[in-house]
Short mmCIF file of all heavy atoms in Angstrom, two decimals:
data_model
loop_
_atom_site.label_atom_id
_atom_site.label_comp_id
_atom_site.label_asym_id
_atom_site.label_seq_id
_atom_site.Cartn_x
_atom_site.Cartn_y
_atom_site.Cartn_z
N MET G 83 -48.37 11.30 34.02
CA MET G 83 -49.46 10.41 34.34
C MET G 83 -50.01 9.83 33.04
O MET G 83 -50.16 10.52 32.05
CB MET G 83 -50.55 11.18 35.08
CG MET G 83 -51.70 10.31 35.49
SD MET G 83 -52.85 11.27 36.51
CE MET G 83 -54.36 10.63 35.87
N SER G 84 -50.32 8.55 33.06
CA SER G 84 -50.87 7.92 31.86
C SER G 84 -52.34 7.59 32.06
O SER G 84 -52.82 7.43 33.18
CB SER G 84 -50.08 6.66 31.50
OG SER G 84 -50.23 5.68 32.48
N VAL G 85 -53.03 7.50 30.93
CA VAL G 85 -54.46 7.24 30.91
C VAL G 85 -54.69 6.07 29.97
O VAL G 85 -54.12 6.03 28.88
CB VAL G 85 -55.24 8.48 30.40
CG1 VAL G 85 -56.73 8.19 30.33
CG2 VAL G 85 -54.96 9.69 31.27
N GLN G 86 -55.52 5.11 30.38
CA GLN G 86 -55.94 4.02 29.51
C GLN G 86 -57.07 4.54 28.65
O GLN G 86 -58.12 4.92 29.16
CB GLN G 86 -56.43 2.81 30.33
CG GLN G 86 -55.35 2.05 31.04
CD GLN G 86 -54.55 1.20 30.08
OE1 GLN G 86 -55.06 0.61 29.15
NE2 GLN G 86 -53.26 1.16 30.31
N VAL G 87 -56.86 4.59 27.33
CA VAL G 87 -57.88 5.08 26.41
C VAL G 87 -58.45 3.89 25.66
O VAL G 87 -57.72 3.14 25.02
CB VAL G 87 -57.31 6.12 25.42
CG1 VAL G 87 -58.38 6.60 24.47
CG2 VAL G 87 -56.68 7.29 26.18
N GLU G 88 -59.77 3.71 25.77
CA GLU G 88 -60.44 2.60 25.09
C GLU G 88 -61.33 3.17 23.99
O GLU G 88 -62.17 4.04 24.23
CB GLU G 88 -61.29 1.81 26.08
CG GLU G 88 -61.99 0.62 25.45
CD GLU G 88 -62.83 -0.17 26.43
OE1 GLU G 88 -62.89 0.21 27.62
OE2 GLU G 88 -63.42 -1.16 26.00
N PHE G 89 -61.12 2.67 22.77
CA PHE G 89 -61.92 3.10 21.63
C PHE G 89 -63.01 2.06 21.39
O PHE G 89 -62.73 0.89 21.17
CB PHE G 89 -61.04 3.25 20.38
CG PHE G 89 -60.06 4.38 20.48
CD1 PHE G 89 -58.76 4.15 20.90
CD2 PHE G 89 -60.44 5.67 20.15
CE1 PHE G 89 -57.85 5.20 20.99
CE2 PHE G 89 -59.54 6.73 20.24
CZ PHE G 89 -58.25 6.49 20.65
N LEU G 90 -64.26 2.51 21.46
CA LEU G 90 -65.42 1.65 21.25
C LEU G 90 -65.99 1.93 19.86
O LEU G 90 -65.87 3.04 19.37
CB LEU G 90 -66.49 1.93 22.31
CG LEU G 90 -66.06 1.71 23.76
CD1 LEU G 90 -67.15 2.18 24.70
CD2 LEU G 90 -65.71 0.26 24.01
N PRO G 91 -66.59 1.01 19.17
CA PRO G 91 -67.02 -0.30 19.61
C PRO G 91 -65.95 -1.37 19.48
O PRO G 91 -66.16 -2.51 19.88
CB PRO G 91 -68.19 -0.61 18.68
CG PRO G 91 -67.81 0.04 17.40
CD PRO G 91 -67.08 1.31 17.82
N ASN G 92 -64.77 -1.02 18.96
CA ASN G 92 -63.71 -2.00 18.72
C ASN G 92 -63.13 -2.59 19.99
O ASN G 92 -62.62 -3.70 19.97
CB ASN G 92 -62.56 -1.36 17.92
CG ASN G 92 -63.03 -0.63 16.70
OD1 ASN G 92 -63.95 0.18 16.78
ND2 ASN G 92 -62.43 -0.89 15.57
N GLY G 93 -63.14 -1.84 21.09
CA GLY G 93 -62.55 -2.31 22.33
C GLY G 93 -61.04 -2.23 22.35
O GLY G 93 -60.39 -2.85 23.18
N VAL G 94 -60.45 -1.45 21.44
CA VAL G 94 -59.00 -1.28 21.38
C VAL G 94 -58.59 -0.33 22.49
O VAL G 94 -59.14 0.76 22.63
CB VAL G 94 -58.56 -0.72 20.01
CG1 VAL G 94 -57.08 -0.44 19.99
CG2 VAL G 94 -58.95 -1.68 18.91
N THR G 95 -57.61 -0.75 23.31
CA THR G 95 -57.14 0.06 24.43
C THR G 95 -55.66 0.37 24.24
O THR G 95 -54.88 -0.47 23.82
CB THR G 95 -57.35 -0.69 25.76
OG1 THR G 95 -58.74 -0.99 25.89
CG2 THR G 95 -56.91 0.15 26.94
N VAL G 96 -55.29 1.61 24.56
CA VAL G 96 -53.90 2.05 24.42
C VAL G 96 -53.58 3.01 25.58
O VAL G 96 -54.47 3.69 26.09
CB VAL G 96 -53.68 2.72 23.04
CG1 VAL G 96 -54.48 4.00 22.91
CG2 VAL G 96 -52.22 2.97 22.76
N GLU G 97 -52.33 3.04 25.99
CA GLU G 97 -51.86 4.00 27.00
C GLU G 97 -51.62 5.34 26.33
O GLU G 97 -51.09 5.40 25.22
CB GLU G 97 -50.51 3.55 27.58
CG GLU G 97 -50.54 2.45 28.57
CD GLU G 97 -50.78 2.90 30.00
OE1 GLU G 97 -50.31 3.98 30.43
OE2 GLU G 97 -51.45 2.14 30.69
N ALA G 98 -52.00 6.41 27.00
CA ALA G 98 -51.78 7.75 26.47
C ALA G 98 -51.32 8.66 27.59
O ALA G 98 -51.63 8.43 28.76
CB ALA G 98 -53.07 8.28 25.85
N ALA G 99 -50.60 9.69 27.22
CA ALA G 99 -50.15 10.69 28.18
C ALA G 99 -51.17 11.81 28.25
O ALA G 99 -51.81 12.15 27.25
CB ALA G 99 -48.80 11.25 27.75
N VAL G 100 -51.34 12.37 29.43
CA VAL G 100 -52.21 13.54 29.59
C VAL G 100 -51.69 14.64 28.68
O VAL G 100 -50.49 14.90 28.62
CB VAL G 100 -52.22 14.01 31.07
CG1 VAL G 100 -52.91 15.34 31.21
CG2 VAL G 100 -52.89 12.96 31.94
N GLY G 101 -52.59 15.25 27.92
CA GLY G 101 -52.21 16.32 27.01
C GLY G 101 -51.85 15.86 25.61
O GLY G 101 -51.67 16.68 24.71
N GLU G 102 -51.75 14.55 25.41
CA GLU G 102 -51.43 14.01 24.09
C GLU G 102 -52.62 14.20 23.15
O GLU G 102 -53.77 13.97 23.54
CB GLU G 102 -51.08 12.53 24.21
CG GLU G 102 -50.53 11.91 22.96
CD GLU G 102 -50.07 10.48 23.16
OE1 GLU G 102 -50.19 9.92 24.27
OE2 GLU G 102 -49.59 9.91 22.17
N PRO G 103 -52.39 14.64 21.91
CA PRO G 103 -53.50 14.83 20.98
C PRO G 103 -54.28 13.54 20.73
O PRO G 103 -53.69 12.48 20.53
CB PRO G 103 -52.82 15.31 19.69
CG PRO G 103 -51.51 15.86 20.14
CD PRO G 103 -51.11 15.03 21.34
N MET G 104 -55.59 13.64 20.75
CA MET G 104 -56.44 12.45 20.60
C MET G 104 -56.22 11.75 19.26
O MET G 104 -56.21 10.52 19.19
CB MET G 104 -57.90 12.83 20.76
CG MET G 104 -58.80 11.62 20.91
SD MET G 104 -60.47 12.05 21.35
CE MET G 104 -60.22 12.62 23.03
N LEU G 105 -56.03 12.50 18.18
CA LEU G 105 -55.80 11.87 16.88
C LEU G 105 -54.50 11.06 16.87
O LEU G 105 -54.43 10.00 16.26
CB LEU G 105 -55.76 12.92 15.77
CG LEU G 105 -57.09 13.56 15.39
CD1 LEU G 105 -56.88 14.61 14.30
CD2 LEU G 105 -58.09 12.52 14.94
N GLN G 106 -53.49 11.54 17.57
CA GLN G 106 -52.22 10.83 17.67
C GLN G 106 -52.39 9.53 18.44
O GLN G 106 -51.85 8.50 18.06
CB GLN G 106 -51.20 11.74 18.36
CG GLN G 106 -49.81 11.17 18.47
CD GLN G 106 -48.87 12.18 19.12
OE1 GLN G 106 -48.93 13.37 18.84
NE2 GLN G 106 -48.02 11.70 20.00
N VAL G 107 -53.16 9.56 19.50
CA VAL G 107 -53.43 8.37 20.31
C VAL G 107 -54.19 7.34 19.47
O VAL G 107 -53.86 6.16 19.46
CB VAL G 107 -54.22 8.71 21.58
CG1 VAL G 107 -54.63 7.46 22.34
CG2 VAL G 107 -53.41 9.64 22.47
N ALA G 108 -55.20 7.80 18.74
CA ALA G 108 -55.99 6.90 17.90
C ALA G 108 -55.11 6.26 16.83
O ALA G 108 -55.19 5.05 16.60
CB ALA G 108 -57.14 7.66 17.25
N LYS G 109 -54.28 7.05 16.19
CA LYS G 109 -53.39 6.52 15.14
C LYS G 109 -52.46 5.45 15.70
O LYS G 109 -52.26 4.40 15.09
CB LYS G 109 -52.58 7.67 14.53
CG LYS G 109 -51.71 7.23 13.38
CD LYS G 109 -50.99 8.41 12.77
CE LYS G 109 -50.11 7.95 11.62
NZ LYS G 109 -49.43 9.08 10.98
N ARG G 110 -51.90 5.70 16.88
CA ARG G 110 -51.01 4.73 17.51
C ARG G 110 -51.75 3.43 17.84
O ARG G 110 -51.17 2.35 17.82
CB ARG G 110 -50.40 5.33 18.77
CG ARG G 110 -49.24 4.51 19.30
CD ARG G 110 -48.47 5.15 20.42
NE ARG G 110 -49.26 5.32 21.63
CZ ARG G 110 -49.69 6.49 22.10
NH1 ARG G 110 -49.39 7.61 21.47
NH2 ARG G 110 -50.40 6.55 23.20
N ALA G 111 -53.06 3.53 18.09
CA ALA G 111 -53.88 2.35 18.40
C ALA G 111 -54.38 1.64 17.14
O ALA G 111 -55.06 0.64 17.23
CB ALA G 111 -55.07 2.77 19.25
N GLY G 112 -54.04 2.21 15.96
CA GLY G 112 -54.50 1.61 14.72
C GLY G 112 -55.91 2.01 14.35
O GLY G 112 -56.54 1.38 13.50
N ILE G 113 -56.41 3.07 14.98
CA ILE G 113 -57.77 3.57 14.74
C ILE G 113 -57.69 4.79 13.83
O ILE G 113 -56.90 5.70 14.07
CB ILE G 113 -58.45 3.99 16.07
CG1 ILE G 113 -58.49 2.83 17.06
CG2 ILE G 113 -59.82 4.59 15.83
CD1 ILE G 113 -59.43 1.71 16.70
N THR G 114 -58.52 4.80 12.80
CA THR G 114 -58.58 5.96 11.91
C THR G 114 -59.82 6.78 12.25
O THR G 114 -60.94 6.27 12.21
CB THR G 114 -58.65 5.52 10.44
OG1 THR G 114 -57.49 4.74 10.13
CG2 THR G 114 -58.74 6.71 9.52
N ILE G 115 -59.59 8.02 12.60
CA ILE G 115 -60.67 8.97 12.82
C ILE G 115 -60.58 9.96 11.66
O ILE G 115 -59.58 10.65 11.51
CB ILE G 115 -60.54 9.70 14.17
CG1 ILE G 115 -60.62 8.70 15.33
CG2 ILE G 115 -61.63 10.76 14.31
CD1 ILE G 115 -60.39 9.31 16.70
N PRO G 116 -61.61 10.03 10.80
CA PRO G 116 -61.55 10.94 9.66
C PRO G 116 -61.50 12.40 10.10
O PRO G 116 -62.05 12.76 11.14
CB PRO G 116 -62.85 10.64 8.90
CG PRO G 116 -63.76 10.04 9.90
CD PRO G 116 -62.91 9.35 10.92
N THR G 117 -60.81 13.21 9.31
CA THR G 117 -60.74 14.64 9.61
C THR G 117 -61.00 15.43 8.34
O THR G 117 -60.78 14.93 7.23
CB THR G 117 -59.36 15.05 10.15
OG1 THR G 117 -58.37 14.77 9.18
CG2 THR G 117 -59.05 14.35 11.45
N GLY G 118 -61.44 16.70 8.52
CA GLY G 118 -61.76 17.59 7.41
C GLY G 118 -60.58 18.36 6.82
O GLY G 118 -60.40 18.35 5.64
N CYS G 119 -59.68 18.97 7.47
CA CYS G 119 -59.64 19.39 8.85
C CYS G 119 -59.78 20.90 8.86
O CYS G 119 -58.97 21.62 8.29
CB CYS G 119 -58.35 18.97 9.55
SG CYS G 119 -58.31 19.44 11.29
N LEU G 120 -60.80 21.35 9.52
CA LEU G 120 -61.06 22.78 9.65
C LEU G 120 -61.02 23.19 11.12
O LEU G 120 -61.74 24.06 11.56
CB LEU G 120 -62.42 23.13 9.03
CG LEU G 120 -62.54 22.83 7.53
CD1 LEU G 120 -63.97 23.03 7.06
CD2 LEU G 120 -61.59 23.70 6.73
N MET G 121 -60.17 22.51 11.88
CA MET G 121 -59.93 22.80 13.29
C MET G 121 -61.22 22.81 14.12
O MET G 121 -61.50 23.72 14.87
CB MET G 121 -59.17 24.11 13.46
CG MET G 121 -57.79 24.07 12.83
SD MET G 121 -56.78 22.65 13.31
CE MET G 121 -56.54 22.95 15.03
N GLY G 122 -62.02 21.74 13.94
CA GLY G 122 -63.20 21.55 14.76
C GLY G 122 -64.49 22.08 14.17
O GLY G 122 -65.57 21.78 14.68
N SER G 123 -64.43 22.84 13.10
CA SER G 123 -65.66 23.42 12.57
C SER G 123 -66.38 22.49 11.58
O SER G 123 -67.57 22.68 11.32
CB SER G 123 -65.39 24.78 11.92
OG SER G 123 -64.54 24.65 10.82
N CYS G 124 -65.69 21.51 11.02
CA CYS G 124 -66.35 20.62 10.05
C CYS G 124 -67.00 19.41 10.73
O CYS G 124 -67.86 18.77 10.16
CB CYS G 124 -65.38 20.15 8.98
SG CYS G 124 -64.13 18.99 9.54
N HIS G 125 -66.55 19.07 11.93
CA HIS G 125 -67.08 17.97 12.74
C HIS G 125 -66.89 16.58 12.10
O HIS G 125 -67.54 15.63 12.50
CB HIS G 125 -68.55 18.18 13.11
CG HIS G 125 -68.74 19.34 14.02
ND1 HIS G 125 -68.70 19.22 15.38
CD2 HIS G 125 -68.94 20.66 13.75
CE1 HIS G 125 -68.88 20.42 15.92
NE2 HIS G 125 -69.01 21.30 14.96
N ALA G 126 -65.99 16.46 11.13
CA ALA G 126 -65.72 15.16 10.51
C ALA G 126 -65.11 14.20 11.52
O ALA G 126 -65.30 12.99 11.44
CB ALA G 126 -64.79 15.31 9.31
N CYS G 127 -64.39 14.73 12.50
CA CYS G 127 -63.68 13.90 13.47
C CYS G 127 -64.44 13.78 14.79
O CYS G 127 -63.87 13.41 15.81
CB CYS G 127 -62.30 14.47 13.73
SG CYS G 127 -62.33 16.09 14.51
N GLU G 128 -65.72 14.07 14.77
CA GLU G 128 -66.49 14.06 16.01
C GLU G 128 -66.61 12.65 16.57
O GLU G 128 -66.96 11.71 15.86
CB GLU G 128 -67.88 14.65 15.79
CG GLU G 128 -68.61 14.95 17.08
CD GLU G 128 -69.86 15.76 16.85
OE1 GLU G 128 -69.73 16.98 16.64
OE2 GLU G 128 -70.95 15.16 16.87
N VAL G 129 -66.29 12.51 17.84
CA VAL G 129 -66.43 11.26 18.59
C VAL G 129 -67.23 11.59 19.85
O VAL G 129 -67.53 12.74 20.11
CB VAL G 129 -65.06 10.63 18.94
CG1 VAL G 129 -64.31 10.24 17.68
CG2 VAL G 129 -64.22 11.56 19.78
N GLU G 130 -67.54 10.58 20.61
CA GLU G 130 -68.36 10.79 21.80
C GLU G 130 -67.66 10.20 23.02
O GLU G 130 -67.17 9.07 22.97
CB GLU G 130 -69.69 10.06 21.58
CG GLU G 130 -70.85 10.67 22.25
CD GLU G 130 -72.14 10.00 21.81
OE1 GLU G 130 -72.38 8.85 22.22
OE2 GLU G 130 -72.89 10.63 21.06
N LEU G 131 -67.62 10.96 24.10
CA LEU G 131 -67.10 10.43 25.35
C LEU G 131 -68.13 9.49 25.95
O LEU G 131 -69.29 9.46 25.54
CB LEU G 131 -66.79 11.57 26.32
CG LEU G 131 -65.73 12.57 25.85
CD1 LEU G 131 -65.55 13.67 26.89
CD2 LEU G 131 -64.40 11.87 25.58
N GLU G 132 -67.72 8.73 26.94
CA GLU G 132 -68.59 7.73 27.57
C GLU G 132 -69.90 8.33 28.08
O GLU G 132 -70.94 7.69 28.02
CB GLU G 132 -67.83 7.05 28.71
CG GLU G 132 -68.57 5.91 29.34
CD GLU G 132 -67.75 5.19 30.40
OE1 GLU G 132 -66.77 5.77 30.91
OE2 GLU G 132 -68.09 4.05 30.69
N ASP G 133 -69.86 9.57 28.54
CA ASP G 133 -71.07 10.20 29.07
C ASP G 133 -71.96 10.80 27.98
O ASP G 133 -72.97 11.43 28.27
CB ASP G 133 -70.71 11.26 30.11
CG ASP G 133 -69.97 12.46 29.52
OD1 ASP G 133 -69.73 12.49 28.29
OD2 ASP G 133 -69.63 13.37 30.30
N GLY G 134 -71.58 10.62 26.71
CA GLY G 134 -72.38 11.11 25.60
C GLY G 134 -71.98 12.47 25.08
O GLY G 134 -72.56 12.97 24.12
N THR G 135 -70.97 13.09 25.68
CA THR G 135 -70.52 14.40 25.25
C THR G 135 -69.79 14.29 23.91
O THR G 135 -68.80 13.57 23.80
CB THR G 135 -69.55 15.01 26.29
OG1 THR G 135 -70.20 15.07 27.55
CG2 THR G 135 -69.09 16.39 25.87
N PRO G 136 -70.26 15.00 22.87
CA PRO G 136 -69.56 14.97 21.59
C PRO G 136 -68.35 15.91 21.63
O PRO G 136 -68.42 17.01 22.19
CB PRO G 136 -70.61 15.46 20.60
CG PRO G 136 -71.53 16.32 21.40
CD PRO G 136 -71.51 15.76 22.80
N ILE G 137 -67.24 15.47 21.05
CA ILE G 137 -66.04 16.30 20.96
C ILE G 137 -65.42 16.12 19.59
O ILE G 137 -65.62 15.10 18.93
CB ILE G 137 -65.00 15.94 22.05
CG1 ILE G 137 -64.61 14.47 21.96
CG2 ILE G 137 -65.50 16.28 23.43
CD1 ILE G 137 -63.42 14.11 22.80
N CYS G 138 -64.67 17.09 19.16
CA CYS G 138 -63.92 17.00 17.90
C CYS G 138 -62.51 16.53 18.25
O CYS G 138 -61.78 17.23 18.96
CB CYS G 138 -63.90 18.33 17.18
SG CYS G 138 -65.51 18.81 16.54
N ALA G 139 -62.13 15.38 17.73
CA ALA G 139 -60.84 14.78 18.07
C ALA G 139 -59.66 15.61 17.58
O ALA G 139 -58.59 15.56 18.18
CB ALA G 139 -60.75 13.37 17.50
N CYS G 140 -59.84 16.40 16.52
CA CYS G 140 -58.72 17.15 15.95
C CYS G 140 -58.24 18.27 16.88
O CYS G 140 -57.10 18.71 16.76
CB CYS G 140 -59.07 17.72 14.58
SG CYS G 140 -60.26 19.08 14.61
N ILE G 141 -59.08 18.72 17.78
CA ILE G 141 -58.71 19.83 18.67
C ILE G 141 -58.75 19.42 20.14
O ILE G 141 -58.75 20.27 21.02
CB ILE G 141 -59.59 21.07 18.43
CG1 ILE G 141 -61.07 20.73 18.64
CG2 ILE G 141 -59.34 21.68 17.07
CD1 ILE G 141 -62.00 21.93 18.63
N THR G 142 -58.79 18.12 20.39
CA THR G 142 -58.91 17.62 21.76
C THR G 142 -57.69 16.81 22.15
O THR G 142 -57.18 16.03 21.36
CB THR G 142 -60.18 16.75 21.90
OG1 THR G 142 -61.31 17.52 21.48
CG2 THR G 142 -60.39 16.29 23.32
N SER G 143 -57.26 16.98 23.38
CA SER G 143 -56.16 16.17 23.90
C SER G 143 -56.69 15.32 25.05
O SER G 143 -57.80 15.52 25.54
CB SER G 143 -55.01 17.07 24.36
OG SER G 143 -55.45 17.94 25.37
N ILE G 144 -55.87 14.38 25.49
CA ILE G 144 -56.26 13.49 26.59
C ILE G 144 -56.32 14.31 27.88
O ILE G 144 -55.34 14.95 28.25
CB ILE G 144 -55.27 12.32 26.71
CG1 ILE G 144 -55.17 11.53 25.39
CG2 ILE G 144 -55.63 11.42 27.88
CD1 ILE G 144 -56.49 10.96 24.89
N PRO G 145 -57.48 14.31 28.55
CA PRO G 145 -57.64 15.14 29.74
C PRO G 145 -56.97 14.55 30.99
O PRO G 145 -56.79 13.34 31.08
CB PRO G 145 -59.16 15.19 29.93
CG PRO G 145 -59.65 13.91 29.34
CD PRO G 145 -58.72 13.60 28.20
N ALA G 146 -56.66 15.41 31.92
CA ALA G 146 -56.10 15.00 33.21
C ALA G 146 -57.22 14.56 34.13
O ALA G 146 -58.39 14.84 33.89
CB ALA G 146 -55.33 16.15 33.83
N GLY G 147 -56.86 13.85 35.18
CA GLY G 147 -57.82 13.51 36.22
C GLY G 147 -58.60 12.23 35.99
O GLY G 147 -59.55 11.97 36.71
N GLN G 148 -58.23 11.46 34.97
CA GLN G 148 -58.91 10.20 34.72
C GLN G 148 -57.88 9.10 34.52
O GLN G 148 -56.83 9.34 33.93
CB GLN G 148 -59.78 10.29 33.46
CG GLN G 148 -60.89 11.29 33.56
CD GLN G 148 -61.74 11.31 32.29
OE1 GLN G 148 -61.72 10.39 31.50
NE2 GLN G 148 -62.48 12.37 32.11
N LYS G 149 -58.19 7.91 34.98
CA LYS G 149 -57.30 6.77 34.75
C LYS G 149 -57.72 5.99 33.52
O LYS G 149 -56.92 5.31 32.89
CB LYS G 149 -57.30 5.84 35.97
CG LYS G 149 -56.65 6.44 37.18
CD LYS G 149 -56.58 5.44 38.31
CE LYS G 149 -55.88 6.07 39.50
NZ LYS G 149 -55.71 5.13 40.59
N HIS G 150 -59.02 6.08 33.18
CA HIS G 150 -59.57 5.34 32.04
C HIS G 150 -60.52 6.26 31.29
O HIS G 150 -61.34 6.94 31.89
CB HIS G 150 -60.32 4.10 32.54
CG HIS G 150 -60.74 3.17 31.44
ND1 HIS G 150 -59.90 2.24 30.91
CD2 HIS G 150 -61.90 3.07 30.77
CE1 HIS G 150 -60.53 1.57 29.98
NE2 HIS G 150 -61.76 2.07 29.86
N LEU G 151 -60.39 6.30 29.97
CA LEU G 151 -61.23 7.14 29.13
C LEU G 151 -61.80 6.29 28.01
O LEU G 151 -61.06 5.60 27.31
CB LEU G 151 -60.39 8.28 28.56
CG LEU G 151 -61.07 9.27 27.62
CD1 LEU G 151 -62.14 10.06 28.36
CD2 LEU G 151 -60.05 10.21 27.01
N LYS G 152 -63.12 6.29 27.87
CA LYS G 152 -63.77 5.57 26.78
C LYS G 152 -64.22 6.56 25.72
O LYS G 152 -64.85 7.57 26.04
CB LYS G 152 -64.99 4.78 27.27
CG LYS G 152 -64.62 3.58 28.08
CD LYS G 152 -65.84 2.74 28.41
CE LYS G 152 -65.43 1.55 29.26
NZ LYS G 152 -66.56 0.68 29.55
N ILE G 153 -63.88 6.26 24.47
CA ILE G 153 -64.23 7.11 23.35
C ILE G 153 -65.05 6.29 22.37
O ILE G 153 -64.57 5.27 21.85
CB ILE G 153 -62.97 7.67 22.66
CG1 ILE G 153 -62.17 8.49 23.66
CG2 ILE G 153 -63.35 8.48 21.43
CD1 ILE G 153 -60.82 8.91 23.18
N ASN G 154 -66.29 6.70 22.14
CA ASN G 154 -67.17 6.02 21.20
C ASN G 154 -66.96 6.59 19.80
O ASN G 154 -67.09 7.80 19.59
CB ASN G 154 -68.63 6.21 21.59
CG ASN G 154 -68.95 5.53 22.90
OD1 ASN G 154 -68.77 4.35 23.04
ND2 ASN G 154 -69.40 6.31 23.87
N LEU G 155 -66.61 5.72 18.88
CA LEU G 155 -66.42 6.12 17.49
C LEU G 155 -67.71 5.89 16.73
O LEU G 155 -68.41 4.92 16.95
CB LEU G 155 -65.32 5.28 16.84
CG LEU G 155 -63.97 5.26 17.56
CD1 LEU G 155 -63.07 4.22 16.93
CD2 LEU G 155 -63.32 6.63 17.50
N TYR G 156 -68.03 6.79 15.88
CA TYR G 156 -69.15 6.59 14.97
C TYR G 156 -68.83 7.33 13.70
O TYR G 156 -68.00 8.22 13.68
CB TYR G 156 -70.48 7.03 15.57
CG TYR G 156 -70.53 8.45 16.09
CD1 TYR G 156 -70.83 9.51 15.25
CD2 TYR G 156 -70.26 8.73 17.43
CE1 TYR G 156 -70.88 10.80 15.74
CE2 TYR G 156 -70.32 10.02 17.90
CZ TYR G 156 -70.62 11.05 17.07
OH TYR G 156 -70.66 12.34 17.54
N SER G 157 -69.47 6.94 12.65
CA SER G 157 -69.18 7.59 11.38
C SER G 157 -70.44 8.23 10.81
O SER G 157 -71.55 7.73 10.99
CB SER G 157 -68.59 6.60 10.37
OG SER G 157 -69.52 5.57 10.12
N ASP G 158 -70.24 9.33 10.14
CA ASP G 158 -71.33 10.05 9.50
C ASP G 158 -71.35 9.64 8.04
O ASP G 158 -70.38 9.91 7.32
CB ASP G 158 -71.10 11.55 9.65
CG ASP G 158 -72.22 12.39 9.08
OD1 ASP G 158 -73.05 11.85 8.31
OD2 ASP G 158 -72.27 13.57 9.40
N PRO G 159 -72.40 8.99 7.56
CA PRO G 159 -72.43 8.52 6.18
C PRO G 159 -72.35 9.65 5.16
O PRO G 159 -72.03 9.42 4.01
CB PRO G 159 -73.76 7.77 6.08
CG PRO G 159 -74.54 8.11 7.28
CD PRO G 159 -73.59 8.64 8.31
N ALA G 160 -72.60 10.89 5.59
CA ALA G 160 -72.51 12.03 4.68
C ALA G 160 -71.08 12.39 4.35
O ALA G 160 -70.81 13.10 3.39
CB ALA G 160 -73.23 13.23 5.28
N TRP G 161 -70.11 11.92 5.17
CA TRP G 161 -68.71 12.24 4.91
C TRP G 161 -68.17 11.21 4.00
O TRP G 161 -67.49 10.45 3.97
CB TRP G 161 -67.92 12.33 6.21
CG TRP G 161 -68.08 13.68 6.83
CD1 TRP G 161 -68.97 14.03 7.77
CD2 TRP G 161 -67.36 14.86 6.52
NE1 TRP G 161 -68.85 15.36 8.07
CE2 TRP G 161 -67.86 15.89 7.32
CE3 TRP G 161 -66.34 15.14 5.65
CZ2 TRP G 161 -67.38 17.20 7.26
CZ3 TRP G 161 -65.86 16.43 5.60
CH2 TRP G 161 -66.38 17.44 6.40
#
């Protein structure tokens, strides 16, 4: 099953497979999500789902049960 992943605020949309690593999907879409990488503990790769839930992209894959997923990108000026 494929999922349409939209990266905001750019509006870039790409097809992704359920279970595909989020960083891999972003890279394929030409989106750079910074990483630390301390497997989710540094929060450098933190993004936000459409409902406002923060997630770390380095340890997150594309979830099942959705046809469209919106991911809000933001950057932390401290990084």
